[in-house]
């Protein structure tokens, strides 16, 4: 016990804790904590601000979107709005449900079936539309026009039905256009559709099996058992399909399967007689090999094996084949990969689109995409006053010349290939500015369901490289006095029609001075032929064994002007010269000068302007009862900037293009004369279903009534080496313009605030006096933003089937 106590006693005791000299109160400690929290919060805010700054610095400052674009109203379509997918399906299902019609669904149909080929909008009668717009009658009901192929009737024929009212059809009526010369429409006049083309390709595949060795030895290619994109032959069909009315014999020409195959003809062709609706009875009627004609495949094969014909050796490696591609090549020294100019709209779009209705600086109109004739402008107004009821392209033709059948007999009617349903997706930044408004179209043609053509229409505002108007005023000694000018802005509604090898850029352009322009720009590939000796007088060689042949492109326009009302007149101002003694000088002083004389056209015969380039004229559509403040009749002038003399009146291939004989023809408006051509033109151009020249035969009076102008423009094209790989648009354009002629009291663009006026300070004689700039309220400073663009990578290119799920009871 004592021992333990002794041990405990030697353990050192811990020194007592001394109190701190600094004492922090509770309040101070709270303040410190608050300050720390604030500092942390400020640091967080600073980090966020830095992040926002980085984002702002790295993100383009986008401009506002501008005026409204409501998009397509599929639920409540307007009078001229395209058929919606629901309306198309309702029409299809209604007709398929009519057992007495005996229609087969497109997906299971054959050539010898009855099936729907196309469904399009049937425009209402013009009189009903105008009465509705004036409030006198209710809105016209919508209806569809349906084209039906009847291959199982005797004889086979084509029927057209009117189906309505939409969106829930209750009736169908068989209709026949009074403009048709041949009723019912002959079965051989119909356009080749996907069903017939598939059966033709199947037939072609079988009959060419015997030619395998010939193809392999002559071209290093084959048709059946080939490897796609490596050693395949392509066969493409040409029209017209025969040489006289009632025939249906189609040439299929062979091409190398490669990019730009249009420039790779192989010198082989086969003609198939498919007049009958029963494919088992189809036959081969002709073959051409290296400029030699045969009537049977067996004869060609036998003579080829015997070596008693002129053989061909047309083998091309992949490097040589690149000449037809769009791959970059040529001189590099003058080019660098720098981006070109882009469109900037600092305040956003200055146009608005509501469904199909567009407004832009006084212009107001509706656009419509028709499957047959394509993009149309309807119900056109400027500054609230009526200009036109319809402006539309009617047909595109190309008539070729040459030695071989594919050139010497080739005459293409674009309407038969469906101009609207051949207008595909546009590429942002190339086909249209990336800032444009892109609009879809829907078609029901050559299909069993509605098809969506994504972004096939674009609308945009552009600025020309020249001012719309300007003047620099100076004294005789060169001292500045004043300047006035206006940027030449305009609105463009565009689509691009791709027909076979050629692309046609169709523009409707609306200018600030009340001028409207219809313009076609050509591009795409040329139609090339194999370079036989007989081809040489008709074109230029553009590559080894390839020749581009002379041809003429023609475009026909319907211009239904309604200047303030339906009571219009047509007159020409004929330019002549006079040689007479001058009143102002003595004796025999004579002067030769120009003068014009107005010539009123009283009937359709007098208003048909043939190709007379020796008689300069101005063509005026005017309203006798409406005048400007100077007492002059208000009107519009039609200017055809690209007349192209038609030299093929005697060719039977051009009988369906009788409109091409006239620079311009003016007729009295009739609802039955709604188009100058038809989809049946290509099937039988020799004895056409619709002949435009018949519109002139009744010789109606055209004074103070509703009249329509039909205008032809075009150009000749002799292909040359620079057309490879494709035609450039720079020198291949055709334009028709509608120009106000005493319609206004002064230039209507004076109302546009986008103008600029520069002067000197008043009462200042100093040459260096301060300049005064008047931009009428428009900001002329440097833009601080960029318009948001549609990405080029959004392009897809394929036509899409539209799935619509809804129930309709009939």
């Amino acid at each position: 016990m004592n021992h333990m106590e002794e041990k405990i006693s030697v353990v050192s005791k811990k020194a007592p804790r001394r109190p701190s000299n600094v004492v922090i109160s509770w309040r101070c400690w709270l303040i410190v904590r608050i300050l720390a929290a604030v500092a942390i919060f400020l640091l967080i805010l600073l980090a966020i601000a830095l992040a926002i700054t980085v984002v702002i610095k790295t993100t383009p400052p986008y401009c506002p979107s501008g005026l409204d674009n409501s998009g397509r109203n599929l639920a409540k379509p307007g009078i001229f709005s395209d058929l919606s997918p629901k309306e198309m399906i309702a029409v299809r299902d209604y007709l398929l449900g009519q057992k007495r019609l005996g229609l087969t669904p497109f997906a299971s149909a054959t050539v010898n079936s009855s099936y729907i080929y196309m469904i399009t909008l049937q425009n209402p009668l013009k009189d009903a539309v105008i009465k509705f717009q004036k409030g006198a009658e209710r809105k016209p009901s919508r209806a569809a026009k349906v084209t039906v192929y009847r291959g199982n009737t005797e004889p086979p024929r084509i029927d057209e039905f009117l189906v309505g009212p939409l969106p829930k059809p209750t009736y169908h009526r068989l209709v026949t256009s009074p403009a048709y010369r041949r009723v019912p429409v002959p079965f051989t006049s119909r356009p080749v559709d996907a069903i017939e083309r598939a059966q033709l390709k199947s037939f072609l595949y079988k009959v060419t099996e015997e030619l395998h060795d010939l193809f392999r030895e002559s071209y290093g290619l084959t048709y059946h058992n080939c490897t796609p994109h490596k050693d395949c032959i392509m066969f493409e069909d040409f029209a017209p399909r025969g040489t006289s009315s009632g025939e249906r014999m189609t040439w299929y020409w062979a091409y190398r399967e490669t990019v730009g195959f249009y420039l790779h003809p192989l010198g082989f062709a086969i003609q198939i007689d498919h007049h009958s609706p029963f494919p088992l009875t189809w036959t081969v009627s002709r073959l051409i090999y290296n400029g030699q004609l045969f009537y049977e495949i067996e004869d060609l094969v036998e003579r080829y094996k015997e070596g008693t014909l002129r053989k061909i050796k047309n083998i091309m490696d992949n490097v040589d084949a690149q000449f037809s591609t769009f791959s970059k090549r040529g001189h590099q020294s003058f080019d660098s990969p720098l981006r070109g100019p882009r469109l900037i709209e600092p305040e956003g779009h200055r146009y608005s689109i509501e469904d199909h209705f567009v407004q832009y600086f006084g212009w107001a109109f509706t656009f419509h995409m028709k499957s047959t004739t394509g993009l149309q402008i309807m119900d056109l107004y400027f500054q609230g006053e009526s200009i036109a009821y319809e402006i539309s392209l009617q047909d595109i033709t190309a008539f070729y010349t040459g030695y071989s059948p594919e050139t010497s007999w080739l005459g293409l009617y674009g309407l038969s290939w469906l101009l609207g349903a051949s207008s595909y997706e546009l590429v942002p930044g190339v086909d249209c500015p990336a800032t444009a408004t892109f609009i879809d179209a829907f078609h029901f043609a050559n299909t069993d369901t509605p098809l969506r053509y994504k972004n096939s229409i674009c609308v945009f505002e552009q600025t020309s490289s020249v001012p719309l108007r300007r003047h620099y005023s100076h004294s005789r000694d060169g001292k500045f006095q004043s300047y006035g000018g206006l940027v030449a802005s305009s609105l463009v509604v565009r689509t691009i029609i791709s027909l076979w090898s050629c692309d046609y850029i169709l523009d409707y352009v609306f200018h600030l001075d009340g001028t409207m322009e219809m313009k076609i720009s050509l591009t795409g590939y040329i139609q090339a032929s194999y370079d036989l000796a007989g081809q040489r007088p008709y074109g230029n060689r553009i590559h080894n064994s390839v020749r581009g042949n002379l041809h003429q492109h023609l475009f026909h326009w319907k211009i239904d002007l309604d200047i303030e009302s339906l009571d219009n007149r047509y007159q020409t101002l004929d330019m002549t010269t006079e040689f007479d003694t001058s009143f102002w000088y003595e004796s025999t002083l004579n002067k030769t000068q120009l003068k014009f004389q107005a010539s009123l056209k009283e009937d359709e015969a007098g208003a048909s302007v043939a190709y007379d380039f020796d008689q300069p004229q101005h063509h005026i559509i005017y309203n006798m009862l409406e005048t400007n403040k100077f007492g002059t009749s208000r009107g519009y002038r039609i200017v055809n900037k690209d007349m192209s003399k038609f030299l093929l009146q005697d060719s039977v291939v051009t009988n369906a293009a009788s409109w091409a004989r006239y620079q311009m023809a003016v007729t009295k408006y009739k609802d039955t004369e709604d188009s100058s051509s038809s989809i049946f033109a290509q099937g039988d151009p020799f004895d056409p279903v619709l002949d435009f020249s018949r519109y002139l035969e009744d010789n109606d009076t055209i004074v103070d009534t509703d009249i329509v102008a039909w205008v032809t423009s075009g150009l000749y094209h002799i292909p040359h080496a620079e057309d490879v790989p494709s035609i450039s648009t720079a020198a291949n354009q055709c334009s028709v313009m509608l120009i106000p002629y005493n319609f206004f009291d002064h230039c209507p663009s004076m109302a546009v605030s986008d103008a600029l006026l520069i002067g000197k300070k008043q009462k200042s004689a100093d040459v260096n006096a301060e300049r005064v700039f008047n931009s009428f309220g428009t900001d002329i400073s440097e833009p601080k933003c960029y318009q948001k663009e549609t990405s080029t990578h959004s392009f897809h290119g394929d036509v899409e089937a539209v799935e619509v799920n809804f129930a309709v009871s009939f």
Side-chain angles (χ1 to χ4, degrees), residues 39 168 180 187 243 267 390 491 504 575 655:
K168 295 183 178 182
Y180 289 173
F187 197 57
T243 57
E390 176 186 347
L491 187 74
Y504 301 90
M575 311 297 172
N655 287 349

Side-chain angles (χ1 to χ4, degrees), residues 414-699:
L415 182 58
S416 297
W417 302 81
L418 306 183
L419 302 178
S422 297
S423 302
Y424 299 96
E425 184 177 355
L426 303 169
V427 178
V430 182
D431 294 333
C432 308
T435 59
T437 301
F438 291 89
I439 301 160
D440 299 344
F442 298 93
H443 298 285
F444 195 110
N446 213 6
T447 179
D448 61 352
T449 190
L451 298 177
R452 175 190 178 221
Y453 287 56
K454 175 188 173 186
N455 294 350
S456 58
I457 304 168
C458 71
V459 180
F460 60 92
E461 187 180 10
Q462 67 179 2
T463 299
S464 173
S465 58
V466 295
L468 182 65
R469 52 177 166 81
R470 62 94 69 187
H471 179 65
Y472 175 95
S473 180
H474 60 88
S475 62
R476 289 299 183 185
D477 57 0
K479 296 178 180 178
F480 170 77
Q481 293 181 331
S482 66
Y483 169 88
L486 174 65
V487 176
S489 300
S490 58
L491 187 74
V492 179
V493 182
R494 171 176 293 173
T495 192
I496 301 180
I497 304 165
S498 296
L499 293 175
W500 177 232
S501 63
C502 201
D503 296 72
Y504 301 90
I505 303 173
L506 170 59
D507 288 343
Y508 294 102
V509 187
F510 302 86
H511 298 272
L512 298 178
D513 65 344
T515 295
M516 183 194 170
E517 181 180 7
M518 300 90 77
K519 184 168 69 174
I520 296 258
S521 304
L522 279 72
T523 181
Y525 287 93
I526 63 171
Q527 170 57 49
S529 61
Y530 188 72
D531 190 19
L532 302 170
Q535 295 279 31
R536 291 169 189 168
Y538 304 105
N540 291 308
R541 177 178 287 185
I542 58 172
H543 199 265
N544 298 331
S545 302
V546 183
R547 191 167 292 269
N549 291 67
L550 164 67
H551 56 281
Q552 183 181 23
H553 292 278
L554 291 169
F555 313 100
H556 203 225
W557 302 91
K558 179 181 180 181
I559 305 174
D560 181 6
L561 291 176
D562 292 341
I563 306 300
E564 286 292 89
S565 73
L566 302 183
D567 299 326
N568 288 176
R569 294 183 173 192
Y570 165 51
Q571 71 176 8
T572 59
L573 305 181
D574 302 329
M575 311 297 172
T576 60
T577 58
E578 66 175 5
F579 180 73
D580 201 357
T581 302
S582 174
F583 171 81
W584 307 104
Y585 295 92
E586 299 175 356
S587 66
T588 60
L589 183 62
N590 296 323
K591 181 182 180 181
T592 301
Q593 63 182 359
L594 288 172
K595 71 174 184 179
F596 73 86
Q597 182 173 356
S599 175
L600 176 66
K601 308 303 178 182
E602 297 185 355
D603 51 41
E604 293 176 339
S608 304
V609 184
Y611 282 84
D612 183 2
F613 292 93
D614 295 327
Q615 178 60 66
Q617 294 176 319
H618 281 187
H619 304 279
I620 312 294
I621 306 292
Y622 67 101
N623 191 320
M624 186 66 179
L625 301 179
E626 296 288 337
T627 62
N628 62 16
K629 73 176 184 179
F630 309 113
T632 307
S633 295
R634 306 175 71 188
Y636 259 74
R637 176 186 167 203
I638 299 176
V639 181
N640 186 354
K641 298 179 68 176
D642 296 280
M643 294 182 290
S644 183
K645 186 173 180 62
F646 188 57
L647 301 174
L648 298 173
Q649 295 93 330
D650 298 329
S651 171
V652 294
V653 175
T654 69
N655 287 349
S658 58
W659 46 263
R661 302 169 189 167
Y662 310 99
Q663 297 175 32
M664 188 167 84
V666 177
T667 63
K668 183 177 181 178
Y669 177 88
K670 294 185 178 71
D671 285 299
T672 55
E673 297 177 355
D674 62 334
S675 181
S676 61
S677 187
S678 78
I679 63 172
F680 310 115
Q682 188 72 85
D684 191 346
F686 317 105
D687 188 12
V689 170
L690 190 151
D691 182 358
F692 172 78
S693 64
R694 295 187 68 191
Y695 291 3
L696 310 176
E697 290 178 354
D698 51 13
N699 198 25

Side-chain angles (χ1 to χ4, degrees), residues 706-722:
D706 191 3
I707 56 179
V708 180
W710 308 84
V711 180
T712 304
S713 60
L715 54 84
Y716 300 102
H717 187 195
I718 304 177
H720 45 88
E722 291 79 9

